[in-house]
Amino acid sequence: MRARSIRVAIAGAGNVGVYVAEDLKSKGHDIVLIEQDKEQIEALRPELEVNWVPGDACELVTLEQAVLSACDVVVAATGDDEDNLVISLLAKQEFAVPSVISRVNHPDNLWLFTETWGVDVAMSMPHLLASHVEEVVSIGDAVKLMELEQGKVSLFEVTLADGSPAAGKTCNDLRLPPDCALVAVVREGHVFPPSGETPLSTGDEVLALASPEAEGDLRRALIGEG
């Protein structure tokens, strides 16, 4: 079943904004791209058929021209963290956009990108790269891939090592607490949605969601430590 088409406004036509716009446009979504550099717009317009809105995305008049009130998602993708925070706050408070995703350029600023500033999801490329490095080199440890709901829930990846208490058990055997759930098991290049009777084996990559309070229980169940 094809996902429904959504309307997405993207602030910033740099490399990140353009890539996101091209990808979403190719999947049939309605894209509005806001950019204040008119020369940049004219250079990109022939190659990228989206709804272009020239202007400063930090100003209400520009966001009104982009009809943010009709958007399902806003992506603040500029290269300036202060601008991205302002855009996120305006999108959420002035236009009640359901989902606001913001780019974090400098990792030290990540703590600011919360629901207080209207941000639903903060994306920090340095943190994502670090997570992927950990994923490559970490077997038998829980790697936090991303945070959801402003840090209230995190997505973890664990490759079951020799001696994992989960190896040889089924998902039901783990007796995970509330606020902790397995979401996928990856084995030999295939993805399995886990059921209660799904067996777990050494070498399996397990994806799990857990709240901060349940993270220790998840580690004990899959790794043997809390």
Side-chain angles (χ1 to χ4, degrees), residues 23-91:
D23 187 60
L24 294 176
K25 177 69 175 178
S26 70
K27 295 172 181 175
H29 299 299
D30 182 16
I31 306 302
V32 179
L33 196 46
I34 306 169
E35 172 57 49
Q36 60 182 339
D37 186 337
K38 294 183 178 180
E39 292 184 0
Q40 177 82 338
I41 293 175
E42 293 308 312
L44 292 170
R45 193 191 296 272
E47 302 174 5
L48 187 53
E49 295 183 5
V50 297
N51 301 305
W52 287 95
V53 175
D56 186 348
C58 292
E59 297 182 357
L60 277 174
V61 64
T62 303
L63 300 182
E64 288 170 351
Q65 290 172 356
V67 195
L68 249 64
S69 58
C71 290
D72 300 286
V73 182
V74 163
V75 181
T78 79
D80 187 292
D81 284 345
E82 290 184 6
D83 286 354
N84 288 340
L85 285 172
V86 171
I87 295 163
S88 299
L89 186 63
L90 291 175

Short mmCIF file of all heavy atoms in Angstrom, two decimals, residues 23-91:
data_model
loop_
_atom_site.label_atom_id
_atom_site.label_comp_id
_atom_site.label_asym_id
_atom_site.label_seq_id
_atom_site.Cartn_x
_atom_site.Cartn_y
_atom_site.Cartn_z
N ASP A 23 14.14 13.85 -2.60
CA ASP A 23 13.76 12.51 -2.19
C ASP A 23 12.25 12.42 -1.94
O ASP A 23 11.58 11.49 -2.41
CB ASP A 23 14.53 12.12 -0.93
CG ASP A 23 14.29 10.67 -0.53
OD1 ASP A 23 14.60 9.78 -1.32
OD2 ASP A 23 13.78 10.44 0.58
N LEU A 24 11.71 13.39 -1.21
CA LEU A 24 10.28 13.36 -0.90
C LEU A 24 9.43 13.62 -2.15
O LEU A 24 8.37 13.03 -2.32
CB LEU A 24 9.96 14.39 0.19
CG LEU A 24 10.56 14.11 1.57
CD1 LEU A 24 10.26 15.25 2.53
CD2 LEU A 24 10.03 12.79 2.13
N LYS A 25 9.92 14.51 -3.02
CA LYS A 25 9.20 14.79 -4.26
C LYS A 25 9.11 13.53 -5.12
O LYS A 25 8.06 13.23 -5.71
CB LYS A 25 9.92 15.91 -5.03
CG LYS A 25 9.31 16.25 -6.39
CD LYS A 25 7.96 16.92 -6.25
CE LYS A 25 7.42 17.34 -7.60
NZ LYS A 25 6.08 17.96 -7.49
N SER A 26 10.19 12.75 -5.16
CA SER A 26 10.20 11.53 -5.97
C SER A 26 9.23 10.49 -5.45
O SER A 26 8.83 9.57 -6.18
CB SER A 26 11.62 10.94 -6.01
OG SER A 26 11.99 10.40 -4.74
N LYS A 27 8.84 10.64 -4.19
CA LYS A 27 7.89 9.70 -3.58
C LYS A 27 6.46 10.21 -3.62
O LYS A 27 5.57 9.64 -2.99
CB LYS A 27 8.33 9.40 -2.15
CG LYS A 27 9.67 8.66 -2.09
CD LYS A 27 10.19 8.53 -0.67
CE LYS A 27 11.54 7.82 -0.68
NZ LYS A 27 12.16 7.77 0.66
N GLY A 28 6.26 11.32 -4.36
CA GLY A 28 4.91 11.79 -4.59
C GLY A 28 4.36 12.79 -3.59
O GLY A 28 3.16 13.07 -3.59
N HIS A 29 5.22 13.35 -2.76
CA HIS A 29 4.75 14.30 -1.76
C HIS A 29 4.77 15.73 -2.30
O HIS A 29 5.50 16.06 -3.24
CB HIS A 29 5.59 14.19 -0.49
CG HIS A 29 5.52 12.83 0.14
ND1 HIS A 29 4.34 12.29 0.61
CD2 HIS A 29 6.48 11.89 0.37
CE1 HIS A 29 4.58 11.08 1.11
NE2 HIS A 29 5.87 10.81 0.96
N ASP A 30 3.96 16.58 -1.71
CA ASP A 30 3.83 17.98 -2.10
C ASP A 30 4.86 18.79 -1.31
O ASP A 30 4.78 18.88 -0.08
CB ASP A 30 2.40 18.47 -1.80
CG ASP A 30 2.17 19.90 -2.23
OD1 ASP A 30 2.98 20.43 -3.01
OD2 ASP A 30 1.18 20.50 -1.76
N ILE A 31 5.83 19.38 -2.02
CA ILE A 31 6.96 20.03 -1.35
C ILE A 31 6.95 21.53 -1.56
O ILE A 31 6.80 22.03 -2.68
CB ILE A 31 8.30 19.47 -1.87
CG1 ILE A 31 8.32 17.94 -1.75
CG2 ILE A 31 9.47 20.09 -1.11
CD1 ILE A 31 8.13 17.41 -0.36
N VAL A 32 7.13 22.27 -0.46
CA VAL A 32 7.33 23.72 -0.49
C VAL A 32 8.75 23.98 0.00
O VAL A 32 9.13 23.53 1.09
CB VAL A 32 6.33 24.44 0.42
CG1 VAL A 32 6.57 25.95 0.38
CG2 VAL A 32 4.91 24.11 0.03
N LEU A 33 9.53 24.68 -0.81
CA LEU A 33 10.92 24.95 -0.44
C LEU A 33 11.11 26.45 -0.27
O LEU A 33 10.89 27.23 -1.20
CB LEU A 33 11.87 24.40 -1.51
CG LEU A 33 13.35 24.25 -1.18
CD1 LEU A 33 13.58 23.59 0.18
CD2 LEU A 33 14.05 23.44 -2.26
N ILE A 34 11.51 26.86 0.93
CA ILE A 34 11.68 28.27 1.27
C ILE A 34 13.16 28.62 1.24
O ILE A 34 13.98 27.96 1.90
CB ILE A 34 11.10 28.56 2.68
CG1 ILE A 34 9.65 28.09 2.77
CG2 ILE A 34 11.21 30.04 3.01
CD1 ILE A 34 9.11 28.09 4.20
N GLU A 35 13.51 29.65 0.49
CA GLU A 35 14.91 30.06 0.37
C GLU A 35 14.98 31.57 0.14
O GLU A 35 14.22 32.11 -0.67
CB GLU A 35 15.57 29.32 -0.80
CG GLU A 35 16.97 29.77 -1.16
CD GLU A 35 17.95 29.68 -0.01
OE1 GLU A 35 18.00 28.61 0.64
OE2 GLU A 35 18.66 30.68 0.24
N GLN A 36 15.86 32.25 0.88
CA GLN A 36 15.94 33.70 0.74
C GLN A 36 16.92 34.16 -0.34
O GLN A 36 16.89 35.32 -0.76
CB GLN A 36 16.31 34.34 2.08
CG GLN A 36 17.64 33.90 2.67
CD GLN A 36 17.88 34.55 4.02
OE1 GLN A 36 17.29 35.58 4.35
NE2 GLN A 36 18.74 33.95 4.83
N ASP A 37 17.78 33.26 -0.80
CA ASP A 37 18.73 33.61 -1.85
C ASP A 37 18.05 33.40 -3.21
O ASP A 37 17.90 32.26 -3.69
CB ASP A 37 19.98 32.73 -1.74
CG ASP A 37 21.08 33.14 -2.71
OD1 ASP A 37 20.77 33.77 -3.74
OD2 ASP A 37 22.26 32.82 -2.45
N LYS A 38 17.66 34.49 -3.86
CA LYS A 38 16.92 34.38 -5.12
C LYS A 38 17.77 33.79 -6.24
O LYS A 38 17.24 33.10 -7.12
CB LYS A 38 16.39 35.76 -5.52
CG LYS A 38 15.33 36.30 -4.56
CD LYS A 38 14.77 37.63 -5.01
CE LYS A 38 13.68 38.12 -4.05
NZ LYS A 38 13.10 39.42 -4.47
N GLU A 39 19.07 34.04 -6.21
CA GLU A 39 19.93 33.45 -7.23
C GLU A 39 19.99 31.93 -7.08
O GLU A 39 20.02 31.19 -8.08
CB GLU A 39 21.34 34.04 -7.14
CG GLU A 39 21.41 35.51 -7.54
CD GLU A 39 22.84 36.04 -7.52
OE1 GLU A 39 23.76 35.25 -7.19
OE2 GLU A 39 23.03 37.23 -7.84
N GLN A 40 19.98 31.48 -5.84
CA GLN A 40 19.96 30.04 -5.58
C GLN A 40 18.67 29.41 -6.11
O GLN A 40 18.69 28.34 -6.71
CB GLN A 40 20.09 29.79 -4.06
CG GLN A 40 20.02 28.33 -3.63
CD GLN A 40 21.34 27.61 -3.78
OE1 GLN A 40 22.20 28.01 -4.56
NE2 GLN A 40 21.49 26.52 -3.04
N ILE A 41 17.57 30.11 -5.90
CA ILE A 41 16.28 29.60 -6.40
C ILE A 41 16.30 29.49 -7.91
O ILE A 41 15.88 28.46 -8.48
CB ILE A 41 15.13 30.52 -5.95
CG1 ILE A 41 14.96 30.46 -4.43
CG2 ILE A 41 13.82 30.13 -6.64
CD1 ILE A 41 13.92 31.43 -3.89
N GLU A 42 16.76 30.53 -8.59
CA GLU A 42 16.77 30.52 -10.05
C GLU A 42 17.69 29.44 -10.61
O GLU A 42 17.42 28.85 -11.67
CB GLU A 42 17.19 31.90 -10.59
CG GLU A 42 16.17 32.99 -10.31
CD GLU A 42 14.77 32.61 -10.76
OE1 GLU A 42 14.61 32.14 -11.91
OE2 GLU A 42 13.83 32.75 -9.95
N ALA A 43 18.78 29.16 -9.88
CA ALA A 43 19.70 28.11 -10.33
C ALA A 43 19.10 26.73 -10.17
O ALA A 43 19.34 25.83 -10.99
CB ALA A 43 21.01 28.22 -9.55
N LEU A 44 18.28 26.55 -9.13
CA LEU A 44 17.74 25.23 -8.83
C LEU A 44 16.36 24.97 -9.45
O LEU A 44 15.99 23.81 -9.66
CB LEU A 44 17.64 25.04 -7.31
CG LEU A 44 18.97 24.96 -6.55
CD1 LEU A 44 18.71 25.02 -5.05
CD2 LEU A 44 19.71 23.67 -6.91
N ARG A 45 15.63 26.04 -9.74
CA ARG A 45 14.25 25.89 -10.19
C ARG A 45 14.11 24.96 -11.42
O ARG A 45 13.19 24.12 -11.45
CB ARG A 45 13.64 27.25 -10.50
CG ARG A 45 12.13 27.21 -10.68
CD ARG A 45 11.63 28.54 -11.23
NE ARG A 45 11.84 29.65 -10.32
CZ ARG A 45 10.99 30.01 -9.37
NH1 ARG A 45 9.87 29.34 -9.20
NH2 ARG A 45 11.26 31.05 -8.60
N PRO A 46 14.99 25.07 -12.44
CA PRO A 46 14.81 24.20 -13.61
C PRO A 46 14.95 22.71 -13.30
O PRO A 46 14.38 21.87 -13.99
CB PRO A 46 15.92 24.66 -14.57
CG PRO A 46 16.26 26.05 -14.12
CD PRO A 46 16.10 26.03 -12.63
N GLU A 47 15.71 22.36 -12.27
CA GLU A 47 15.98 20.96 -11.95
C GLU A 47 15.07 20.42 -10.85
O GLU A 47 14.91 19.20 -10.74
CB GLU A 47 17.44 20.79 -11.52
CG GLU A 47 18.45 21.25 -12.57
CD GLU A 47 19.87 21.19 -12.06
OE1 GLU A 47 20.07 20.70 -10.92
OE2 GLU A 47 20.77 21.62 -12.78
N LEU A 48 14.51 21.31 -10.06
CA LEU A 48 13.72 20.87 -8.92
C LEU A 48 12.34 21.50 -8.97
O LEU A 48 12.15 22.67 -8.64
CB LEU A 48 14.44 21.26 -7.62
CG LEU A 48 13.86 20.74 -6.30
CD1 LEU A 48 13.68 19.23 -6.34
CD2 LEU A 48 14.74 21.14 -5.13
N GLU A 49 11.37 20.70 -9.42
CA GLU A 49 10.01 21.21 -9.59
C GLU A 49 9.23 21.07 -8.28
O GLU A 49 8.52 20.09 -8.05
CB GLU A 49 9.32 20.45 -10.72
CG GLU A 49 9.95 20.69 -12.08
CD GLU A 49 9.20 19.99 -13.19
OE1 GLU A 49 8.14 19.39 -12.91
OE2 GLU A 49 9.68 20.02 -14.33
N VAL A 50 9.38 22.08 -7.44
CA VAL A 50 8.63 22.15 -6.19
C VAL A 50 8.01 23.53 -6.10
O VAL A 50 8.21 24.38 -6.98
CB VAL A 50 9.55 21.90 -4.96
CG1 VAL A 50 10.15 20.50 -5.01
CG2 VAL A 50 10.66 22.97 -4.89
N ASN A 51 7.25 23.77 -5.05
CA ASN A 51 6.67 25.09 -4.84
C ASN A 51 7.70 25.97 -4.14
O ASN A 51 7.96 25.79 -2.94
CB ASN A 51 5.41 24.98 -3.97
CG ASN A 51 4.36 24.09 -4.61
OD1 ASN A 51 3.95 24.31 -5.74
ND2 ASN A 51 3.93 23.06 -3.89
N TRP A 52 8.29 26.87 -4.88
CA TRP A 52 9.35 27.74 -4.33
C TRP A 52 8.72 28.97 -3.67
O TRP A 52 7.84 29.61 -4.24
CB TRP A 52 10.30 28.19 -5.43
CG TRP A 52 11.21 27.11 -5.92
CD1 TRP A 52 11.03 26.30 -7.00
CD2 TRP A 52 12.45 26.71 -5.33
NE1 TRP A 52 12.07 25.42 -7.14
CE2 TRP A 52 12.97 25.65 -6.12
CE3 TRP A 52 13.18 27.14 -4.22
CZ2 TRP A 52 14.17 25.02 -5.84
CZ3 TRP A 52 14.38 26.52 -3.94
CH2 TRP A 52 14.87 25.47 -4.73
N VAL A 53 9.21 29.31 -2.48
CA VAL A 53 8.78 30.52 -1.80
C VAL A 53 10.03 31.32 -1.44
O VAL A 53 10.81 30.91 -0.57
CB VAL A 53 7.98 30.20 -0.51
CG1 VAL A 53 7.65 31.48 0.24
CG2 VAL A 53 6.71 29.44 -0.85
N PRO A 54 10.27 32.45 -2.11
CA PRO A 54 11.44 33.27 -1.78
C PRO A 54 11.19 34.07 -0.51
O PRO A 54 10.09 34.60 -0.31
CB PRO A 54 11.58 34.19 -3.00
CG PRO A 54 10.18 34.29 -3.55
CD PRO A 54 9.52 32.97 -3.26
N GLY A 55 12.19 34.14 0.35
CA GLY A 55 12.04 34.93 1.57
C GLY A 55 12.72 34.30 2.76
O GLY A 55 13.22 33.16 2.70
N ASP A 56 12.75 35.04 3.86
CA ASP A 56 13.38 34.61 5.09
C ASP A 56 12.39 33.76 5.88
O ASP A 56 11.33 34.24 6.29
CB ASP A 56 13.80 35.84 5.90
CG ASP A 56 14.59 35.49 7.15
OD1 ASP A 56 14.64 34.30 7.52
OD2 ASP A 56 15.16 36.42 7.76
N ALA A 57 12.72 32.49 6.12
CA ALA A 57 11.81 31.59 6.82
C ALA A 57 11.67 31.93 8.30
O ALA A 57 10.83 31.34 8.98
CB ALA A 57 12.29 30.15 6.67
N CYS A 58 12.44 32.89 8.79
CA CYS A 58 12.30 33.34 10.18
C CYS A 58 11.24 34.42 10.31
O CYS A 58 10.96 34.89 11.42
CB CYS A 58 13.63 33.86 10.72
SG CYS A 58 14.89 32.58 10.93
N GLU A 59 10.66 34.85 9.19
CA GLU A 59 9.66 35.90 9.20
C GLU A 59 8.28 35.32 8.93
O GLU A 59 8.09 34.50 8.04
CB GLU A 59 10.00 36.96 8.16
CG GLU A 59 11.32 37.69 8.43
CD GLU A 59 11.60 38.76 7.40
OE1 GLU A 59 10.80 38.89 6.44
OE2 GLU A 59 12.63 39.46 7.54
N LEU A 60 7.32 35.80 9.72
CA LEU A 60 5.95 35.27 9.61
C LEU A 60 5.37 35.44 8.22
O LEU A 60 4.67 34.55 7.72
CB LEU A 60 5.05 35.97 10.64
CG LEU A 60 5.07 35.41 12.06
CD1 LEU A 60 4.26 36.29 12.99
CD2 LEU A 60 4.53 33.98 12.06
N VAL A 61 5.63 36.57 7.58
CA VAL A 61 5.05 36.82 6.27
C VAL A 61 5.49 35.77 5.26
O VAL A 61 4.70 35.33 4.41
CB VAL A 61 5.40 38.25 5.77
CG1 VAL A 61 6.90 38.40 5.57
CG2 VAL A 61 4.63 38.56 4.50
N THR A 62 6.74 35.33 5.35
CA THR A 62 7.24 34.29 4.44
C THR A 62 6.56 32.96 4.72
O THR A 62 6.15 32.24 3.80
CB THR A 62 8.76 34.13 4.60
OG1 THR A 62 9.41 35.38 4.35
CG2 THR A 62 9.30 33.10 3.61
N LEU A 63 6.41 32.63 5.99
CA LEU A 63 5.76 31.37 6.35
C LEU A 63 4.28 31.37 5.97
O LEU A 63 3.73 30.33 5.61
CB LEU A 63 5.93 31.10 7.85
CG LEU A 63 7.39 31.01 8.34
CD1 LEU A 63 7.42 30.70 9.83
CD2 LEU A 63 8.16 29.96 7.56
N GLU A 64 3.67 32.54 6.04
CA GLU A 64 2.27 32.65 5.59
C GLU A 64 2.17 32.42 4.09
O GLU A 64 1.24 31.77 3.60
CB GLU A 64 1.71 34.02 5.98
CG GLU A 64 1.47 34.15 7.48
CD GLU A 64 1.16 35.59 7.89
OE1 GLU A 64 1.30 36.49 7.03
OE2 GLU A 64 0.79 35.79 9.05
N GLN A 65 3.13 32.95 3.34
CA GLN A 65 3.15 32.74 1.88
C GLN A 65 3.34 31.25 1.55
O GLN A 65 2.83 30.76 0.53
CB GLN A 65 4.27 33.56 1.24
CG GLN A 65 4.00 35.06 1.26
CD GLN A 65 5.20 35.87 0.80
OE1 GLN A 65 6.27 35.32 0.53
NE2 GLN A 65 5.04 37.19 0.72
N ALA A 66 4.06 30.55 2.43
CA ALA A 66 4.27 29.11 2.23
C ALA A 66 3.08 28.28 2.69
O ALA A 66 3.06 27.07 2.51
CB ALA A 66 5.52 28.67 2.97
N VAL A 67 2.09 28.96 3.28
CA VAL A 67 0.86 28.30 3.79
C VAL A 67 1.24 27.15 4.73
O VAL A 67 0.85 26.00 4.53
CB VAL A 67 -0.04 27.80 2.64
CG1 VAL A 67 -1.43 27.48 3.17
CG2 VAL A 67 -0.13 28.81 1.52
N LEU A 68 1.99 27.49 5.76
CA LEU A 68 2.41 26.47 6.71
C LEU A 68 1.24 25.83 7.44
O LEU A 68 1.33 24.68 7.87
CB LEU A 68 3.38 27.08 7.75
CG LEU A 68 4.83 26.57 7.62
CD1 LEU A 68 5.41 27.01 6.29
CD2 LEU A 68 5.68 27.06 8.77
N SER A 69 0.14 26.56 7.56
CA SER A 69 -1.02 26.00 8.25
C SER A 69 -1.58 24.77 7.54
O SER A 69 -2.32 23.98 8.14
CB SER A 69 -2.12 27.06 8.38
OG SER A 69 -2.50 27.55 7.11
N ALA A 70 -1.22 24.59 6.26
CA ALA A 70 -1.70 23.44 5.50
C ALA A 70 -0.66 22.32 5.42
O ALA A 70 -0.88 21.32 4.74
CB ALA A 70 -2.08 23.87 4.08
N CYS A 71 0.46 22.49 6.12
CA CYS A 71 1.54 21.51 6.05
C CYS A 71 1.41 20.43 7.12
O CYS A 71 1.01 20.71 8.25
CB CYS A 71 2.90 22.20 6.19
SG CYS A 71 3.35 23.23 4.76
N ASP A 72 1.78 19.23 6.76
CA ASP A 72 1.83 18.13 7.71
C ASP A 72 3.16 18.11 8.46
O ASP A 72 3.22 17.70 9.61
CB ASP A 72 1.66 16.79 6.97
CG ASP A 72 0.34 16.71 6.24
OD1 ASP A 72 -0.69 16.54 6.90
OD2 ASP A 72 0.35 16.83 4.99
N VAL A 73 4.21 18.54 7.76
CA VAL A 73 5.56 18.50 8.33
C VAL A 73 6.32 19.75 7.90
O VAL A 73 6.17 20.21 6.77
CB VAL A 73 6.34 17.25 7.84
CG1 VAL A 73 7.74 17.21 8.47
CG2 VAL A 73 5.58 15.97 8.13
N VAL A 74 7.12 20.27 8.82
CA VAL A 74 8.07 21.34 8.50
C VAL A 74 9.46 20.84 8.83
O VAL A 74 9.69 20.25 9.90
CB VAL A 74 7.77 22.63 9.27
CG1 VAL A 74 8.98 23.58 9.25
CG2 VAL A 74 6.57 23.35 8.67
N VAL A 75 10.40 21.06 7.91
CA VAL A 75 11.80 20.69 8.12
C VAL A 75 12.62 21.97 8.12
O VAL A 75 12.70 22.67 7.11
CB VAL A 75 12.31 19.75 7.02
CG1 VAL A 75 13.77 19.37 7.29
CG2 VAL A 75 11.43 18.50 6.94
N ALA A 76 13.22 22.28 9.27
CA ALA A 76 14.11 23.44 9.37
C ALA A 76 15.52 22.95 9.05
O ALA A 76 16.17 22.32 9.88
CB ALA A 76 14.05 24.04 10.77
N ALA A 77 15.98 23.23 7.82
CA ALA A 77 17.21 22.61 7.32
C ALA A 77 18.29 23.62 6.97
O ALA A 77 19.17 23.34 6.17
CB ALA A 77 16.89 21.76 6.10
N THR A 78 18.23 24.81 7.57
CA THR A 78 19.24 25.82 7.25
C THR A 78 20.56 25.47 7.95
O THR A 78 20.61 24.60 8.81
CB THR A 78 18.81 27.23 7.70
OG1 THR A 78 19.02 27.40 9.11
CG2 THR A 78 17.35 27.49 7.36
N GLY A 79 21.60 26.18 7.58
CA GLY A 79 22.91 25.95 8.19
C GLY A 79 23.13 26.75 9.44
O GLY A 79 24.26 26.78 9.98
N ASP A 80 22.09 27.39 9.96
CA ASP A 80 22.20 28.22 11.16
C ASP A 80 21.26 27.69 12.23
O ASP A 80 20.04 27.65 12.03
CB ASP A 80 21.84 29.67 10.80
CG ASP A 80 22.10 30.64 11.95
OD1 ASP A 80 21.38 30.54 12.97
OD2 ASP A 80 22.99 31.48 11.84
N ASP A 81 21.80 27.27 13.36
CA ASP A 81 20.98 26.68 14.43
C ASP A 81 19.97 27.68 15.01
O ASP A 81 18.84 27.30 15.34
CB ASP A 81 21.86 26.13 15.54
CG ASP A 81 22.52 24.81 15.15
OD1 ASP A 81 22.09 24.21 14.16
OD2 ASP A 81 23.47 24.40 15.84
N GLU A 82 20.36 28.93 15.14
CA GLU A 82 19.43 29.93 15.67
C GLU A 82 18.22 30.08 14.75
O GLU A 82 17.08 30.15 15.21
CB GLU A 82 20.15 31.27 15.86
CG GLU A 82 21.17 31.28 17.00
CD GLU A 82 21.77 32.65 17.21
OE1 GLU A 82 21.31 33.62 16.55
OE2 GLU A 82 22.71 32.77 18.02
N ASP A 83 18.49 30.13 13.45
CA ASP A 83 17.39 30.22 12.49
C ASP A 83 16.49 29.00 12.57
O ASP A 83 15.25 29.11 12.54
CB ASP A 83 17.94 30.37 11.06
CG ASP A 83 18.50 31.76 10.80
OD1 ASP A 83 18.35 32.64 11.67
OD2 ASP A 83 19.09 31.95 9.72
N ASN A 84 17.08 27.83 12.68
CA ASN A 84 16.28 26.61 12.74
C ASN A 84 15.39 26.57 13.97
O ASN A 84 14.26 26.09 13.92
CB ASN A 84 17.19 25.38 12.70
CG ASN A 84 17.81 25.17 11.34
OD1 ASN A 84 17.32 25.69 10.33
ND2 ASN A 84 18.89 24.42 11.28
N LEU A 85 15.88 27.08 15.09
CA LEU A 85 15.06 27.14 16.30
C LEU A 85 13.89 28.11 16.12
O LEU A 85 12.76 27.80 16.51
CB LEU A 85 15.92 27.56 17.49
CG LEU A 85 16.86 26.50 18.05
CD1 LEU A 85 17.79 27.11 19.10
CD2 LEU A 85 16.08 25.34 18.66
N VAL A 86 14.16 29.26 15.54
CA VAL A 86 13.09 30.25 15.32
C VAL A 86 12.04 29.69 14.37
O VAL A 86 10.83 29.80 14.62
CB VAL A 86 13.67 31.57 14.77
CG1 VAL A 86 12.55 32.51 14.34
CG2 VAL A 86 14.55 32.24 15.82
N ILE A 87 12.48 29.07 13.29
CA ILE A 87 11.56 28.48 12.32
C ILE A 87 10.70 27.41 12.98
O ILE A 87 9.48 27.34 12.78
CB ILE A 87 12.34 27.89 11.13
CG1 ILE A 87 13.04 29.01 10.36
CG2 ILE A 87 11.42 27.09 10.21
CD1 ILE A 87 14.15 28.52 9.43
N SER A 88 11.32 26.57 13.79
CA SER A 88 10.60 25.49 14.48
C SER A 88 9.55 26.05 15.42
O SER A 88 8.40 25.58 15.46
CB SER A 88 11.58 24.61 15.25
OG SER A 88 12.52 24.00 14.39
N LEU A 89 9.92 27.07 16.18
CA LEU A 89 9.00 27.66 17.15
C LEU A 89 7.81 28.30 16.44
O LEU A 89 6.65 28.13 16.86
CB LEU A 89 9.73 28.70 18.00
CG LEU A 89 8.93 29.29 19.16
CD1 LEU A 89 8.55 28.22 20.17
CD2 LEU A 89 9.73 30.40 19.85
N LEU A 90 8.07 29.06 15.37
CA LEU A 90 6.98 29.69 14.62
C LEU A 90 6.07 28.64 13.99
O LEU A 90 4.84 28.78 14.00
CB LEU A 90 7.55 30.61 13.54
CG LEU A 90 8.27 31.88 14.03
CD1 LEU A 90 8.89 32.62 12.85
CD2 LEU A 90 7.30 32.79 14.78
N ALA A 91 6.67 27.60 13.43
CA ALA A 91 5.86 26.55 12.78
C ALA A 91 4.91 25.91 13.77
O ALA A 91 3.74 25.65 13.45
CB ALA A 91 6.78 25.49 12.17
#
